[in-house]
Amino acid sequence: MRLCVIRRACGSLRIYPARPGSRVTDLSRRCQTLPGGLANSRMILRAASATTSGGTDPLVTVNRSQKEDRLECDTSLREVVQSTKEAMVALQRRNPAAHPLLAIIQAGEDDSWLEINKKMAGKIELNITQICLAKECSEDEIVEELLRLNEDPKVHGIYLHLPPASLTSRVLNTLKPEKDIDGISDLNMGRLVRGDLSKVFVPPRASAVLDLLEKHDASSEGKTILLVGGEGSFGLTLQCLIEKNGMVALKSNWNSKSLQRQLMEADAVVLLGAEDMDVPPTWFRPGAVVIRCEPTLATDEHAAEMSSKSGLGDLTAAYRMQNVVHSYSRWLQEQQYQPWHLRTLKLQPLMPVPSDIEISRAQKPKPVDQLAEQIGLLPEELEAYGRSKAKVQLSLLNRLHAQPDGKYVLVAGITPTPLGEGKSTVTIGLVQALSAHLKLNSFACLRQPSQGPTFGVKGGAAGGGYAQVIPMEEFNLHLTGDIHAITAANNLVAAAIDARILHESTQSDKALFSRLVPSVSGVRKFSPIQISRLRRLGINKTEPASLTPQEVHTFVRLDLDPSKITWQRVVDTNDRFLRKITVGQASTEKGLIRETGFDIAVASEIMAILALADSLEDMKNRLARMVVGTSRSGQPVTAEDLGVSGALAVLMKDAIKPTLMQTLEGTPVFVHAGPFANIAHGNSSVLADKLALKLVGRDGFVVTEAGFGADIGMEKFFNIKCRASGLRPNVVVLVATVRALKMHGGGPNVSAGTPLPKEYIDENVDLVAGGCYSNLRKQIQIAHLFGMPVVVALNVFRTDTQAEIDLVCQIAKECGASDAVPCYHWAQGGRGSIELAQAVNEAANTPSNFQFLYHLEMPIVEKIRVIAQKVYGAEDIELSPEAKAKIDYYNQQGYGSLPICMAKTHLSLSHMPDKKGAPTGFVLPIRDVRASIGAGFIYPLVGTMSTMPGLPTRPCFYDIDLDPVTEEITGLF
């Protein structure tokens, strides 16, 4: 047994170390095989829990010797101890790390009752933590300790060894029912009285009394048990348990005129309290068992000694320890995968379809904690952000590490047009159909929308119509602040770069060293991040005073070349005038003026790291590896060299957790990482996908979305994200629309917000066929390059005719799609995508032959060429002198084996936005090549690609407004 004693008094805290060498075991096997039904309720109850302290109750059987009574107690005690030990061994066999822990909150020093409990814990080899409060402790002090123990996952049972006056209603109901091994909380007692024994803990004293009654008479069913006195909760509990075990429980009190008659008629008598009452032996029936139960916390040492001699105190303690082990077994069972019991929300679609925001507001989402419980998340794995969204702890991956993954579905699209193809809408409609209608567990994994498009050119990104994430205002605006955290972290790096250049230019080595390694209380020492830099420089010293002048110079001088700083600031707004700026113009900056610029926040390398990291540690390491520029000697300078990587991890520690939301039909959604697959890799996070794949179970589905067309988002999903995650998808859903296919088939250009030309309103099968045989076919072929089956989802608009719909589905199958189906989720919700869900289910259960497009060992130039020729259809690539120089530099630095993330227009398979369909014969110009070393990829810039979008003449924000009375948002999509 390991014992840790914590004494709290007068604000001081002393911790006495635990003794090592404890052996830990487990109860789960026994608990899982316990028989059910009321006939076996006593056995079930013994594997549960209890009230407060052990009893002082002598056991007497009229006309029998004390020795015989003692033998019955000893037999019961041995059986309980042995069964609990066996349960511990079974638990440890299944889980060698099993470590049940009992926490005791006591007032004052140890007494005989606590010694009995500690002795019993030692026999069963349980670990104990004692919190010793002052003898006259306040209610607040007790509650404070309870709240702490409630949330401690290492504690599996809490025993309140306190005076009765301290066991107030507030104290009892603060105690978490799952840890209430004495069964004293209102919830525990209510469940017991109601007969809900699945979660209840039975008071150990009650279990001990029932045990002795059984030992006295094996066929106790139908016997009459008289309870005398005890108007409190223990008497009521005992009465319920006696009746549930087939006996007749009668109540009486010490002042009853018929007490002598009642005692004589009873087969057994339990005397509750009133320890000073003296009942003549002649009042009892010959052979009747008489059990005296003293108050729950006696201070009489003689009473405790008598209780121990009679065996009932020991037996009560043994049942208390059994309850702790059973509590641990329940906790272990809760850690296993839990089947879903998803309650979906009903939809009542209206015609004509209202605006997205009206639909969103008409549906009341489930509280996020209810949604979490329905999909098997534990309360401690959830961090609520209001009522409708919550962060999910990454510890879920450890808890469910042995759980098989579900099916993995990627939603991509044909080359997008200003008309919008609706990938997010299809993704949501598909998971609504899978979960709400086919009753298959499914999760949507979406990217968090950027504020830039929300207020710029696109509007909301929560889906549309009756296939949305709700509440859509919360989805589109701030969410849980991940993009703001990225912005803060990114700009902290930018500030650190310019500050370091300034300080290095104005200070000597000695002054720099003195400030970088300051003397605190006369002691100068390196921080851990500085020691890491010393190691990378080959300086294996930890004492600042031991560095030579040359080592000090090497340590303090990053010597960044201002012309080769690659790190830019970011802001989550489309602000074209920040594409190129000049910084350092204030007189205080010593003339250190340089040109730099802003990217949009979601194009930050930190966003890519967030999306590709598979743990907090991995994210921290990636942040440290980020290269921000080059020194004048040609060496890369990292965020860790700047000393900022630990601070970045702190800023990002909450952002790494995916955000849980729900669809209109109450099915779960993870929202994580950012968009912009044209200038970033544009996929939702690895962690969101991994968490969802565990939660849905072997037969469930995770539907994740890639940005823009299959040539960009899907290619990056396979070549970058799948390499980072190790996950392999089962099927690709390729989204198309008749309107977009008409444009790719030769239809006129359109602009957002202007009336549609008649070609997009009237039936035109020739344009549809042209788009299918060019862009749609090419995108299907791209998926086949990776060995993936393709299901084409035709997102139907009200202007589409049946002939056009049938033609798209027919040609898609001719071009190699496994299936092609029309989808009506925008107007009907999940019911409108049932056919798509069935097609995806069938395709996901067929073998796939996934493969990467290129090997990482290929030269950087060849990897770029493979993507350009096989994916885009280019004849070749053309590198600018700057791009060639950058590639040579990255090869010298050992970055040549990284995958490629092309920054290219999303509006065409080529680099020319106006070239629709499937252009061929063009040469792809590579203007520049940059490296995101922390994220782990090289990204070439194709043509005139910009990393900062601009606002149009009439941005979306013209329509967005707030009612100051109702606080309702209007105009948000």
Side-chain angles (χ1 to χ4, degrees):
M1 178 183 71
R2 182 182 67 184
L3 177 64
C4 176
V5 181
I6 301 175
R7 300 184 185 276
R8 301 192 193 277
C10 302
S12 63
L13 170 64
R14 289 180 288 160
I15 301 181
Y16 297 80
R19 295 197 299 269
S22 61
R23 185 168 69 86
V24 189
T25 42
D26 204 325
L27 174 69
S28 60
R29 178 170 298 183
R30 169 188 160 102
C31 293
Q32 290 177 349
T33 57
L34 289 175
L38 287 179
N40 298 302
S41 60
R42 185 178 306 137
M43 186 172 292
I44 295 173
L45 298 173
R46 287 184 196 154
S49 173
T51 58
T52 47
S53 303
T56 67
D57 14 86
L59 170 68
V60 177
T61 307
V62 180
N63 297 338
R64 288 181 62 189
S65 69
Q66 187 177 2
K67 182 178 180 181
E68 289 176 300
D69 290 332
R70 176 68 196 186
L71 282 174
E72 287 185 359
C73 283
D74 289 345
T75 301
S76 293
L77 181 61
R78 283 195 301 271
E79 289 176 354
V80 175
V81 170
Q82 183 61 31
S83 66
T84 307
K85 281 185 172 181
E86 291 172 358
M88 287 275 285
V89 170
L91 274 176
Q92 194 173 39
R93 192 179 300 120
R94 290 171 47 211
N95 181 8
H99 217 91
L101 176 64
L102 170 64
I104 300 174
I105 299 180
Q106 64 189 79
E109 299 298 320
D110 285 8
D111 56 22
S112 297
W113 294 116
L114 276 177
E115 290 302 325
I116 291 172
N117 279 274
K118 290 197 288 186
K119 178 185 73 174
M120 199 58 60
K123 284 186 179 181
I124 296 172
E125 299 183 345
L126 281 180
N127 294 324
I128 293 179
T129 291
Q130 282 181 261
I131 292 89
C132 304
L133 302 178
K135 192 169 185 179
E136 302 300 327
C137 58
S138 68
E139 183 183 66
D140 286 343
E141 289 175 306
I142 299 170
V143 167
E144 181 182 348
E145 293 298 332
L146 278 175
L147 290 172
R148 183 180 60 83
L149 294 173
N150 281 346
E151 301 308 315
D152 188 344
K154 297 186 294 295
V155 173
H156 306 102
I158 300 173
Y159 168 33
L160 299 180
H161 189 69
L162 301 169
S166 295
L167 298 177
T168 64
S169 177
R170 180 185 171 208
V171 167
L172 296 181
N173 292 310
T174 299
L175 178 55
K176 202 171 187 177
E178 299 93 303
K179 300 185 180 185
D180 176 20
I181 47 98
D182 272 19
I184 54 177
S185 67
D186 289 353
L187 182 57
N188 231 326
M189 292 195 60
R191 285 171 174 168
L192 189 148
V193 171
R194 191 178 62 189
D196 179 8
L197 305 181
S198 61
K199 296 182 179 180
V200 76
F201 284 110
V202 175
R205 257 197 322 158
S207 294
V209 169
L210 286 169
D211 198 333
L212 294 179
L213 290 173
E214 182 186 59
K215 284 290 185 297
H216 175 259
D217 191 340
S219 59
S220 57
E221 186 171 351
K223 302 290 181 166
T224 299
I225 314 298
L226 180 65
L227 307 178
V228 182
E231 300 302 322
S233 59
F234 177 68
L236 177 62
T237 301
L238 190 58
Q239 180 181 359
C240 290
L241 294 174
I242 289 171
E243 291 173 349
K244 289 181 188 305
N245 281 272
M247 295 174 274
V248 177
L250 300 177
K251 287 277 292 177
S252 186
N253 57 63
W254 293 102
N255 299 321
S256 173
K257 294 179 179 179
S258 57
L259 177 60
Q260 182 176 359
R261 176 181 58 78
Q262 291 173 315
L263 291 170
M264 182 59 67
E265 292 174 351
D267 299 300
V269 178
V270 180
L271 305 177
L272 303 172
E275 62 275 12
D276 56 341
M277 295 295 294
D278 189 14
V279 183
T282 55
W283 284 23
F284 299 101
R285 175 190 294 184
V289 62
V290 181
I291 301 173
R292 181 184 292 276
C293 294
E294 300 292 355
T296 58
L297 187 64
T299 56
D300 185 352
E301 294 293 321
H302 177 69
E305 182 183 348
M306 290 300 297
S307 174
S308 180
K309 286 181 179 179
S310 72
L312 193 56
D314 287 343
L315 187 57
T316 298
Y319 273 111
R320 179 172 289 114
M321 303 310 139
Q322 188 181 80
N323 285 348
V324 175
V325 177
H326 186 51
S327 173
Y328 182 78
S329 176
R330 287 180 184 174
W331 179 81
L332 273 185
Q333 186 62 36
E334 289 174 353
Q335 302 304 301
Q336 306 305 307
Y337 178 80
Q338 302 296 322
W340 286 22
H341 50 281
L342 186 67
R343 178 182 64 84
T344 57
L345 302 177
K346 299 298 182 185
L347 276 185
Q348 294 180 326
L350 301 176
M351 289 298 291
V353 176
S355 70
D356 291 349
I357 199 164
E358 288 175 315
I359 293 172
S360 174
R361 287 180 181 153
Q363 184 74 301
K364 184 179 180 181
K366 293 177 286 190
V368 71
D369 56 339
Q370 289 184 17
L371 174 64
E373 181 185 7
Q374 291 169 11
I375 61 175
L377 283 165
L378 302 179
E380 59 267 26
E381 292 168 342
L382 211 65
E383 296 178 7
Y385 280 66
R387 183 181 180 276
S388 305
K389 56 186 183 290
K391 288 284 192 180
V392 173
Q393 294 275 4
L394 304 186
S395 59
L396 172 69
L397 283 176
N398 294 326
R399 178 169 70 86
L400 299 182
H401 72 277
Q403 172 65 21
D405 289 344
K407 304 292 193 307
Y408 198 24
V409 180
L410 174 67
V411 175
I414 64 171
T415 301
T417 70
L419 298 171
E421 283 55 66
K423 284 193 308 300
S424 298
T425 312
V426 169
T427 299
I428 297 162
L430 174 57
V431 296
Q432 288 181 177
L434 286 165
S435 288
H437 299 276
L438 297 189
K439 305 305 178 184
L440 296 169
N441 294 351
S442 71
F443 234 108
C445 289
L446 301 177
R447 300 159 297 154
Q448 180 181 347
S450 164
Q451 179 179 296
T454 299
F455 291 99
V457 296
K458 185 181 178 185
Y466 287 100
Q468 287 190 62
V469 178
I470 55 173
M472 69 96 74
E473 301 102 309
E474 295 185 27
F475 180 92
N476 283 297
L477 301 173
H478 306 296
L479 197 63
T480 48
D482 294 355
I483 293 179
H484 301 315
I486 289 164
T487 302
N490 185 100
N491 294 341
L492 178 61
V493 176
I497 291 169
D498 289 314
R500 187 60 176 262
I501 292 174
L502 171 68
H503 295 310
E504 286 190 23
S505 69
T506 57
Q507 298 181 47
S508 65
D509 289 353
K510 182 178 179 181
L512 269 174
F513 188 76
S514 178
R515 288 177 172 85
L516 288 172
V517 191
S519 176
V520 180
S521 301
V523 178
R524 194 183 299 275
K525 65 179 182 178
F526 294 116
S527 69
I529 202 169
Q530 290 176 325
I531 291 175
S532 294
R533 171 163 167 75
L534 287 168
R535 294 288 181 269
R536 289 196 308 280
L537 294 172
I539 303 173
N540 295 313
K541 297 178 179 179
T542 56
E543 289 298 324
S546 65
L547 267 64
T548 67
Q550 181 57 45
E551 288 171 337
V552 168
H553 175 82
T554 304
F555 170 71
V556 301
R557 296 289 171 186
L558 299 183
D559 200 24
L560 270 163
D561 185 341
S563 67
K564 293 182 179 178
I565 293 172
T566 56
W567 195 264
Q568 302 213 115
R569 289 164 171 81
V570 299
V571 62
D572 196 33
T573 303
N574 293 359
D575 194 343
R576 66 176 71 245
F577 278 80
L578 292 178
R579 290 171 179 171
K580 182 167 286 190
I581 63 170
T582 303
V583 296
Q585 296 191 70
S587 59
T588 53
E589 312 318 319
K590 312 298 183 183
L592 295 173
I593 298 172
R594 69 180 181 91
E595 282 191 351
T596 182
F598 274 77
D599 296 329
I600 192 151
V602 290
S604 169
E605 182 176 355
I606 296 177
M607 174 62 86
I609 287 173
L610 176 70
L612 295 172
D614 64 6
S615 67
L616 186 57
E617 182 180 9
D618 183 36
M619 181 182 73
K620 183 179 177 181
N621 292 336
R622 287 173 179 267
L623 291 169
R625 292 197 302 267
M626 293 187 306
V627 173
V628 302
T630 307
S631 70
R632 286 185 172 87
S633 62
Q635 295 303 308
V637 177
T638 67
E640 191 169 42
D641 290 325
L642 282 168
V644 75
S645 55
L648 300 181
V650 170
L651 287 172
M652 294 293 294
K653 70 179 180 65
D654 292 320
I656 196 174
K657 304 164 191 171
T659 299
L660 177 66
M661 296 188 75
Q662 64 193 281
T663 69
L664 279 165
E665 296 191 55
T667 66
V669 177
F670 273 142
V671 187
H672 207 209
F676 285 100
N678 54 349
I679 55 179
H681 82 286
N683 280 267
S684 65
S685 74
V686 165
L687 281 169
D689 291 359
K690 283 190 170 183
L691 291 170
L693 284 165
K694 293 299 183 187
L695 285 169
V696 297
R698 186 195 304 271
D699 299 320
F701 288 82
V702 171
V703 184
T704 191
E705 177 192 1
F708 295 128
D711 57 308
I712 301 182
M714 186 187 75
E715 181 269 316
K716 294 175 182 180
F717 173 87
F718 290 139
N719 282 321
I720 299 175
K721 183 177 177 180
C722 287
R723 290 185 199 271
S725 69
L727 301 173
R728 300 295 180 262
N730 298 92
V731 61
V732 169
V733 174
L734 191 66
V735 179
T737 64
V738 167
R739 301 191 307 182
L741 289 170
K742 286 180 177 179
M743 183 175 292
H744 287 296
N749 289 330
V750 298
S751 299
T754 60
L756 288 177
K758 63 181 181 61
E759 287 87 348
Y760 298 104
I761 300 173
D762 301 335
E763 183 176 293
N764 192 320
V765 293
D766 291 336
L767 288 179
V768 171
C772 288
Y773 284 119
S774 59
N775 197 270
L776 179 60
R777 176 164 60 186
K778 178 61 177 175
Q779 303 287 14
I780 293 171
Q781 290 171 350
I782 294 170
H784 288 165
L785 287 174
F786 297 92
M788 297 304 302
V790 178
V791 174
V792 171
L794 183 63
N795 189 13
V796 176
F797 285 72
R798 60 177 174 268
T799 55
D800 302 344
T801 68
Q802 192 61 47
E804 291 171 332
I805 293 169
D806 293 343
L807 182 62
V808 174
C809 295
Q810 173 195 329
I811 297 176
K813 293 175 187 177
E814 290 175 7
C815 293
S818 301
D819 206 345
V821 296
C823 304
Y824 302 91
H825 44 268
W826 182 80
Q828 301 176 20
R831 188 175 303 280
S833 282
I834 291 176
E835 190 178 355
L836 173 62
Q838 292 168 334
V840 167
N841 188 16
E842 183 177 346
N845 285 290
T846 59
S848 61
N849 184 30
F850 176 77
Q851 60 187 5
F852 294 114
L853 187 63
Y854 52 78
H855 298 293
L856 292 178
E857 294 72 24
M858 292 173 62
I860 293 175
V861 173
E862 290 307 310
K863 285 182 283 197
I864 297 172
R865 181 173 284 114
V866 167
I867 295 173
Q869 291 177 336
K870 292 190 175 181
V871 177
Y872 306 155
E875 186 175 299
D876 203 353
I877 62 173
E878 181 181 41
L879 298 172
S880 70
E882 185 179 5
K884 289 178 181 178
K886 290 282 190 70
I887 290 173
D888 290 341
Y889 173 74
Y890 296 143
N891 284 328
Q892 291 170 11
Q893 296 299 328
Y895 303 146
S897 61
L898 294 176
I900 303 299
C901 181
M902 302 287 278
K904 180 187 77 71
T905 179
H906 57 289
L907 297 173
S908 172
L909 283 162
S910 72
H911 61 288
M912 302 166 282
D914 58 333
K915 297 294 184 183
K916 306 302 180 185
T920 58
F922 60 93
V923 175
L924 193 74
I926 308 300
R927 173 172 58 87
D928 193 9
V929 178
R930 299 177 184 172
S932 291
I933 304 305
F937 53 69
I938 303 291
Y939 66 103
L941 274 63
V942 178
T944 57
M945 187 66 209
S946 172
T947 53
M948 169 58 82
L951 290 173
T953 305
R954 190 187 188 281
C956 297
F957 59 63
Y958 274 85
D959 302 310
I960 298 173
D961 206 349
L962 178 72
D963 186 320
V965 177
T966 64
E967 296 188 8
E968 282 196 348
I969 298 168
T970 57
L972 187 63
F973 212 63

